[in-house]
């Protein structure tokens, strides 16, 4: 079976995977609770003869499915978690399927399923061609809280990979040359002394005062951090009632920057601010790191192979009905946002492909735990059109798109791109694996990967 027949098999079998993505979209589950999606994918992969390693790092929904033997070992990364509160029907008006329920506003119903589709297609080609090597699908939980892959990495499941491929739903088709930001997700918990706020305020020490002073300090820090870095926070506990001086108050921070070193430095300074706030208010503070993914490292040789294969995959064609639906959906978005999106992407439903090498070395806002994998093994990411131009991720319009035929078409393009690329990697076309590894060595400067989540946290369940 050549690459053409691989593609023919994928075209003939795509409805099965559309059904899988649709089912996951209809059963959205938030981080670490992806039991339905994880089981659905594991059962399918087991049926197809993959060996399954379940509950990686004691996380029930994390798994690895493997087929074949020996080298090379090619990994395809999948995700399946949804976002809280983003429930939506496939509709051009905001309409929640379940009141305040979760929804696939980031398209991870498509993300994971495309990986399953790709590895099952690869299994066929490996059998027919008697190809040596191993393919793996990684069922990765909790990308939205940026930690699932970090816990999997702590178990060493990515260590023997020759490379990893992944993708993300988007509004156009391209290989990702930019690097996504490193980020730390950290919670600060202050403890004060409660008292009657009117009768004996002098006897109290407010934990909420400490949170507010910490936020003031952090806002002053903004002027003195590197360009493109981000500080955002939410107060998760501000006390119980105005007439009780709050004994407990908590604030949850995300700090982001282009590299992990930069985030480490910001974190060092924010920790001082937290200590300062505690000192000023005579309260105590403790912190806990929830997630700390690395920035993603792109890989040119892998990106080139992914781009070449994206062009070999079936082109995207959208029907008039899909175009009309997309037009109506985009009308619900602020025109200024749509105008800005149209500056980089002219088509409403993009079917062209971009390989914008001028973006190499640039950083892109947003973070992912794929960053961790990219510091362990050479990793490449493609994006495909799964929503109309102007739709922003993590919105109801995105949830609607990722449950529609537009989303499914983009998913199949991603599955084909990854399967065709993995085929080239299995036969090590043009010695690409060695080239990828050479570049990986240069980019990582030989630094070994160490998980950003402290060693004392062995598994997600321990601190969730
Ligand atoms: Zn996502």
């Amino acid at each position: 079976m050549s690459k053409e027949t691989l593609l023919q098999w994928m075209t003939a079998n795509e409805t099965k995977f559309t059904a899988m993505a649709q089912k996951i979209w209809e059963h959205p589950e938030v981080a670490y609770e992806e039991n339905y999606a994880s089981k659905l994918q594991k059962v399918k992969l087991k049926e197809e003869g993959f060996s399954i390693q379940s509950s990686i790092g004691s996380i029930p929904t994390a798994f690895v499915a493997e087929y074949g033997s020996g080298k090379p070992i090619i990994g395809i990364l999948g995700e399946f978690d949804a976002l809280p509160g983003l429930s939506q029907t496939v509709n051009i008006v905001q309409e929640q399927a379940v009141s305040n329920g979760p929804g696939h506003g980031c398209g991870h119903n498509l993300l994971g399923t495309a990986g399953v589709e790709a590895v099952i297609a690869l299994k066929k080609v490996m059998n027919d061609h008697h190809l040596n090597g191993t393919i793996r699908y990684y069922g990765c939980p909790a990308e939205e809280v940026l930690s699932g892959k970090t816990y999997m990495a702590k178990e060493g499941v990515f260590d023997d990979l020759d490379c990893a491929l992944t993708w993300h739903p988007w509004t156009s088709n391209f290989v990702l040359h930019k690097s996504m930001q490193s980020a730390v997700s950290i919670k600060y918990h202050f403890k004060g002394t409660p008292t009657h706020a009117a009768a004996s305020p002098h006897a109290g020490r407010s934990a909420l005062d400490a949170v507010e002073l910490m936020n003031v300090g952090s806002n002053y820090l903004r002027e003195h951090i590197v360009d493109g870095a981000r500080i955002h926070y939410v107060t998760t506990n501000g006390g119980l009632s105005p007439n009780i001086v709050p004994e407990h108050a908590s604030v949850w921070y995300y700090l982001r920057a282009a590299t992990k070193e930069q985030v480490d430095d910001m974190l060092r300074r924010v920790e001082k601010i937290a200590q300062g706030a505690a000192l000023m208010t005579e309260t105590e503070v403790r912190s806990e790191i929830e997630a700390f993914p690395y920035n993603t490292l792109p890989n040119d040789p892998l990106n080139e192979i992914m781009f070449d294969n994206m062009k070999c995959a079936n082109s995207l064609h959208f029907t008039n009905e899909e175009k009309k639906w997309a037009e109506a959906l985009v009308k619900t978005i602020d025109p200024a946002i749509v105008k800005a999106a149209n500056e980089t992407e002219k088509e409403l439903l993009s079917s062209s492909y971009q390989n914008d090498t001028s973006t190499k070395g640039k950083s892109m806002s947003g973070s992912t735990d794929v960053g961790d994998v990219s510091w362990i093994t050479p990793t490449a990411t493609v994006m495909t059109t799964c929503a109309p131009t102007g739709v922003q991720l993590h919105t109801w319009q995105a949830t609607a798109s990722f449950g529609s035929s537009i989303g499914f078409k983009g998913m199949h393009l991603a599955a084909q791109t990854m399967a065709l690329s993995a085929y080239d990697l299995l036969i090590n076309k043009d010695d690409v694996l060695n080239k990828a590894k050479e570049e990986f060595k240069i980019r990582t400067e030989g630094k070994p990967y160490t998980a950003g989540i402290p060693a004392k946290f062995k598994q997600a369940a321990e601190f969730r």
Side-chain angles (χ1 to χ4, degrees):
M1 190 156 84
S2 63
K3 275 163 90 173
E4 288 78 55
T5 45
L6 173 69
L7 210 48
Q8 275 165 17
W9 185 90
M10 293 186 85
T11 311
N13 287 276
E14 64 184 26
T15 51
K16 291 177 201 164
F17 300 101
T18 302
M20 179 184 277
Q22 183 149 15
K23 280 184 191 165
I24 297 173
W25 186 88
E26 285 165 1
H27 293 85
E29 301 158 305
V30 295
Y32 292 113
E33 291 174 14
E34 314 91 336
N35 296 303
Y36 177 87
S38 171
K39 190 174 170 203
L40 186 71
Q41 295 189 345
K42 274 193 278 193
V43 167
K44 176 70 180 162
L45 288 158
K46 205 169 176 192
E47 246 173 49
E48 293 286 340
F50 282 71
S51 63
I52 313 279
Q53 197 191 340
S54 282
S55 298
I56 311 290
S58 305
I59 303 169
T61 54
F63 70 95
V64 182
E66 179 176 300
Y67 192 85
S69 62
K71 286 282 205 175
I73 311 175
I74 312 297
I76 292 186
L77 311 177
E79 296 161 13
F80 30 57
D81 58 326
L83 287 153
L86 280 182
S87 176
Q88 170 64 28
T89 58
V90 181
N91 204 337
I92 50 164
V93 291
Q94 185 168 19
E95 178 189 57
Q96 292 201 319
V98 175
S99 177
N100 290 323
H104 275 288
C106 205
H108 295 185
N109 61 312
L110 309 172
L111 206 166
T113 306
V116 175
E117 184 175 359
V119 294
I120 292 173
L122 280 163
K123 182 201 94 170
K124 311 280 177 198
V125 79
M126 287 170 81
N127 284 343
D128 290 4
H129 273 209
H130 309 290
L131 288 183
N132 288 328
T134 307
I135 45 164
R136 282 197 199 138
Y137 170 77
Y138 287 85
C140 306
E143 192 278 336
E144 291 297 349
V145 296
L146 304 175
S147 60
K149 293 183 196 67
T150 311
Y151 287 109
M152 292 175 81
K154 277 171 170 253
E155 299 297 311
V157 294
F158 304 111
D159 290 356
D160 59 350
L161 282 177
D162 286 282
C163 70
L165 306 178
T166 192
W167 78 290
H168 202 284
W170 205 254
T171 54
S172 57
N173 308 300
F174 61 98
V175 289
L176 189 61
H177 291 294
K178 286 183 183 173
S179 175
M180 293 186 75
Q181 291 179 312
S182 176
V184 65
S185 164
I186 183 165
K187 289 180 175 169
Y188 290 91
H189 305 289
F190 290 88
K191 186 178 181 302
T193 309
T195 188
H196 193 297
S200 53
H202 57 284
R205 298 292 180 267
S206 168
L208 179 61
D209 286 357
V211 163
E212 292 188 295
L213 286 165
M214 177 175 177
N215 294 343
V216 170
S218 300
N219 288 327
Y220 274 97
L221 178 68
R222 285 180 201 278
E223 190 187 348
H224 307 289
I225 55 175
V226 290
D227 270 358
R230 298 275 188 274
I231 299 175
H232 18 253
Y233 57 82
V234 288
T235 300
T236 51
N237 176 13
L240 300 170
S241 172
N243 63 354
I244 309 168
V245 169
E247 181 179 8
H248 297 284
S250 297
V251 60
W252 183 8
Y253 271 73
Y254 270 28
L255 313 174
R256 308 186 197 242
T259 67
K260 186 166 179 296
E261 284 77 20
Q262 289 173 348
V263 179
D264 277 329
D265 190 54
M266 282 163 72
L267 181 59
R268 183 184 60 77
R269 295 163 76 188
V270 170
E271 290 276 355
K272 281 188 177 174
I273 292 170
Q275 295 296 340
L279 190 67
M280 283 189 279
T281 51
E282 294 190 327
T283 59
E284 289 166 19
V285 64
R286 66 181 176 87
S287 62
E288 54 181 355
I289 290 180
E290 289 257 322
F292 201 162
Y294 280 61
N295 52 301
T296 57
L297 290 180
N299 187 281
D300 288 348
L302 291 181
N303 272 350
E304 291 311 317
I305 228 164
M306 289 272 260
F307 185 64
D308 288 348
N309 282 300
M310 188 183 252
K311 289 185 290 184
C312 295
N314 295 335
S315 341
L316 285 178
H317 293 289
F318 294 102
T319 63
N320 282 338
E321 206 182 322
E322 284 166 339
K323 285 177 191 162
K324 270 189 207 153
W325 187 85
E327 225 166 1
L329 186 70
V330 167
K331 282 207 176 104
T332 65
I333 302 167
D334 178 348
I337 303 288
V338 178
K339 194 171 168 241
N342 282 331
E343 276 165 26
T344 48
E345 184 47 64
K346 303 271 178 270
E347 291 173 279
L348 174 67
L349 288 171
S350 179
S351 55
S352 57
Y353 310 118
Q354 288 137 33
N355 184 17
D356 185 359
T357 51
S358 71
T359 60
K360 281 184 189 178
K362 292 190 178 152
S363 179
M364 165 177 175
S365 53
S367 313
T368 172
D369 56 13
V370 172
D372 284 46
V373 182
S374 77
W375 280 81
I376 299 170
T377 190
T379 303
T381 306
V382 291
M383 316 296 245
T384 68
T385 301
C386 294
T389 301
V391 169
Q392 307 295 308
L393 295 179
H394 298 199
T395 60
W396 68 263
Q397 291 93 342
T399 307
S401 303
F402 300 146
S404 77
S405 58
I406 296 166
F408 301 138
K409 285 183 178 178
M411 174 185 83
H412 295 307
L413 172 62
Q416 290 161 15
T417 304
M418 293 192 293
L420 294 167
S421 303
Y423 174 87
D424 282 343
L425 292 161
L426 280 170
I427 61 167
N428 200 12
K429 188 186 170 201
D430 304 327
D431 202 25
V432 67
L433 284 174
N434 287 328
K435 291 177 191 163
K437 284 176 193 171
E438 280 303 308
E439 190 184 286
F440 173 79
K441 262 193 224 157
I442 296 166
R443 285 192 193 256
T444 55
E445 297 170 358
K447 283 182 213 150
Y449 166 82
T450 331
I453 296 175
K456 64 177 176 171
F457 299 123
K458 288 226 167 41
Q459 48 187 260
E462 280 186 14
F463 76 91
R464 278 179 56 74

